[in-house]
């Protein structure tokens, strides 16, 4: 029976592809006010600013590629069952070939209705802009298919179930500062093996019994891949 690996990835996973994180020194939240561009309340007052913020990030995404870390995770599917639960809105896990991905905070290459939270009328827009006046089928202004602060996280149930079934959990590139994503680790079953990959010192007191690998994602994942093939094959 193949071992079940769950990867919980954050912005650090895409840092080596050239996409900045949020809370590092050169992070996005140092140049933008998160409340202005990533909070639902702001959507009602700052739509053009928000549309431009995500248009800029979508254009950048068109010009970057998955890094070795994304590729290693995709390659693990040869001998393991792999589910990636990502806080990232980029499509780099998909482009590296990972088949099972749960996007907790939405997807940059999709847009949806801004009227109805239930019938989201989600559409693929690739790397195109969303402009003021671009309408959803329900006549509302199209918005980025992103989970903003102040909104619920529709995929969280699916993520709880996935992580509760994991034999191996790899937490990579996340500061574990945003909930409910950060609480997922508490749903690991008692004998799941947990690894955390991050070049910085992360407060892991919320996770009992975790092996910390103080490396960047690509290096840490290459190290772990070697470990797994020694240990399980
Ligand atoms: N490899 C691995 N980890 C890295 C790398 C790298 N090359 N570079 C940076 N990191 C680590 C940082 O040390 C930090 O711990 O990645 C983490 C990034 O943390 P954040 O910037 O807080 O990103 P993240 O945890 O994904 O943020 C969660 O916050 O603003 C919201 O919705 C946004 O999804 C995001 C959520």
């Amino acid at each position: 029976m193949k071992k079940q690996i769950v990867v919980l990835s954050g912005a650090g996973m895409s840092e080596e592809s050239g996409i900045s994180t949020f809370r590092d020194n050169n992070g996005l939240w140092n140049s933008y006010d998160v409340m202005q561009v990533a909070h639902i309340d702001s959507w009602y007052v700052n739509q053009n600013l928000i549309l431009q913020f995500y248009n800029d990030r979508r254009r950048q995404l068109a010009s970057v590629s998955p890094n070795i870390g994304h590729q290693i995770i995709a390659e693990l599917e040869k001998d393991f069952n792999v589910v990636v639960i990502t806080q990232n809105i980029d499509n780099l896990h998909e482009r590296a070939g990972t088949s099972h991905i749960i996007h907790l905070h939405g997807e940059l290459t999709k847009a949806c209705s801004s009227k109805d939270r239930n019938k989201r009328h989600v559409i693929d827009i690739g790397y195109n802009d969303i402009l003021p006046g671009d309408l959803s089928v329900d006549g509302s202004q199209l918005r980025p298919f992103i989970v903003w602060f102040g909104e619920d996280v529709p995929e969280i149930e699916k993520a709880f179930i996935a992580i509760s079934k994991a034999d191996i959990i790899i937490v990579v590139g996340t500061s574990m500062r945003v909930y409910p994503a950060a609480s997922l680790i508490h749903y690991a079953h008692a004998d799941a093996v947990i690894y955390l990959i991050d070049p910085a010192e992360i407060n892991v007191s919320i996770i009992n019994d975790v092996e910390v690998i103080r490396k960047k994602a690509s290096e840490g994942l290459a190290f772990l891949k070697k470990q797994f093939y020694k240990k399980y094959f």
Side-chain angles (χ1 to χ4, degrees), residues 49-108:
L49 172 73
I50 292 180
L51 290 175
Q52 193 52 50
F53 175 71
Y54 288 96
N55 288 345
D56 293 346
R57 293 179 70 198
R58 205 172 293 113
R59 288 183 196 175
Q60 183 205 20
L61 182 55
S63 66
V64 301
S65 314
N67 60 57
I68 300 173
H70 293 106
Q71 283 150 19
I72 290 173
I73 291 169
E75 285 156 12
L76 285 172
E77 288 186 13
K78 278 196 219 86
D79 296 302
F80 298 86
N81 292 325
V82 181
V83 174
V84 170
I85 301 170
T86 188
Q87 299 169 83
N88 299 340
I89 58 176
D90 64 52
N91 60 357
L92 297 179
H93 282 299
E94 286 86 343
R95 285 161 57 188
T98 289
S99 345
H100 306 289
I101 303 169
I102 298 172
H103 276 279
L104 287 177
H105 295 162
E107 297 178 65
L108 200 48

Side-chain angles (χ1 to χ4, degrees), residues 10-12 15-16 21-24 29 87-88 105 149 173-176 178 197-200 202 215-217:
E15 189 266 336
E16 289 160 273
T21 64
F22 294 97
R23 297 174 180 83
D24 286 331
W29 297 152
Q87 299 169 83
N88 299 340
H105 295 162
F149 287 103
T174 175
S175 58
M176 300 287 276
V178 171
I197 302 173
D198 200 304
I202 296 296
K215 293 177 185 300
K216 289 195 162 198

